[in-house]
Each structure stands twice: as structure tokens, then as C-alpha cells.
Amino acid sequence: MPVRLHTPLTKQMLSQLKAGDEVWISGTIYTARDAAHARMAAALAAGEALPFDLQGAVIYYAGPTPNPPGRPVGALGPTTSGRMDGFTPDLLDAGLCAMIGKGERNAAVCDAVVRNGAVYLAAMGGAGALLARAVRSREVIAYPELQSEAVARLIVEDFPCMVALDAHGGNAYIDGPNAYRNNVKL
């Protein structure tokens, strides 16, 4: 049975999650990729305001394709999260609660997730058209010149993810294969 979360997220909500848990998110999430992360990092370093409040926020590493008629987005699959690793610890330290993407994270991100009681959620790569069905609206809120990489506010309903890194150090990318090799259930 999936865990249903509604944004904004709290550390108490996240503390209940374990690596491998299925999660469905509803509410507001923000898209941001490499170029937007570089700009947000520069803003943080300069003491400037970010395009959205990080407290309780979720960033989805994705850039949607153009929307077909009647839909807020086209395909909306996750991008490789490791490309944001250099920016992520500072964002987590500033209040970010969760990220959604695909692929493993470096040690600095894993440490920052635990230090901040946050989570990293994995979305299914290659299923962008299916994931887009959970999006109810999209509004670009910063860096429109970046086009599909602009920061956008999405309203989602039952957006499916899996907990890849939990707030306690659980790591599905390590724990999952180990459980398989040892024939132990997660």
C-alpha cells in the first residue's frame, strides 16, 4: 500500500518513510534542472531570495516536453539526479525536504539527506508520459528563458515515487541489491 503525502512536507512525515517505500505525492512540487540549480545556488550564495520557499518543498528534476492540447505538460520523466549533486547539500541545508529524480546520489547528498531529515525519491525513468498524467497544472515561476529547464510550479495528484534515500540513511540503491543477493525481503 503506498504512503500518500501532501505538500508541504514535514520532517515528521518524512521520518516515517523507509528506503523502498512506495509514495504518492499530491500538492505542489517544483521542477528544476541543472541550469536552474546553478542560478539558485548563486542566489543562495549572494543571500538573495529563491524563486520559491524551500521549507517543506519538493524539487523534481525534470523538464517537461511541450504540452498537447488540453494537458498542462507533455512527457515529464525524471532526469539523472547526479547532475544536481553539487548544488543539493546547500539546498537541503536551506530547508528543502525532498527531491525526485532517477539514479544514485553522491556521499555528500546522502549525508545531507540524513543531516536534514529529508528524502530522495526515485521516479520511473522512461515513463514520462505516464508520470505527466498526475500533473494538474504547470506555471513557470522563474528563469523562463531556460524554457523547459525553467523553474515551474506543478500541482500534482498521486504522483508515484519510491523512497530511494530515507532520513535515517536507508539507501534503496544499496539495500535493494543486498536484499536480493541475500534473498531477504526489504
Side-chain angles (χ1 to χ4, degrees):
M1 191 69 159
V3 176
R4 294 181 183 271
L5 298 176
H6 198 282
T7 63
L9 303 179
T10 66
K11 290 183 190 295
Q12 182 177 359
M13 286 175 177
L14 302 179
S15 71
Q16 308 300 312
L17 300 175
K18 298 184 314 255
D21 284 351
E22 181 181 353
V23 174
W24 291 359
I25 298 177
S26 295
T28 301
I29 64 175
Y30 299 91
T31 61
R33 288 180 44 172
D34 318 43
H37 272 73
R39 291 198 186 177
M40 290 189 298
L44 269 178
E48 298 170 358
L50 294 179
F52 59 93
D53 184 5
L54 291 177
Q55 301 304 313
V58 178
I59 293 179
Y60 181 27
Y61 304 141
T65 64
N67 58 306
R71 300 289 307 160
V73 296
L76 189 66
T79 197
T80 302
S81 302
R83 297 195 334 236
M84 274 55 73
D85 281 0
F87 309 112
T88 301
D90 288 341
L91 292 171
L92 288 165
D93 291 342
L96 180 65
C97 276
M99 300 107 0
I100 304 170
K102 68 177 180 182
E104 296 183 57
R105 307 306 297 268
N106 70 22
V109 172
C110 294
D111 291 344
V113 164
V114 173
R115 179 174 66 246
N116 290 287
V119 294
Y120 166 54
L121 305 168
M124 186 180 298
L130 181 63
L131 293 170
R133 292 182 185 176
V135 178
R136 300 298 172 249
S137 68
R138 175 180 181 257
E139 175 189 8
V140 172
I141 61 167
Y143 321 131
E145 65 280 6
L146 297 178
Q147 299 177 18
S148 69
E149 290 200 35
V151 175
R153 178 185 302 118
L154 303 179
I155 305 300
V156 297
E157 184 177 334
D158 292 337
F159 188 92
C161 304
M162 181 197 76
V163 179
L165 300 175
D166 67 35
H168 311 288
N171 184 332
Y173 292 105
I174 294 171
D175 302 341
N178 286 343
Y180 177 78
R181 277 191 290 277
N182 297 323
N183 199 23
V184 174
K185 199 170 187 173
L186 280 179

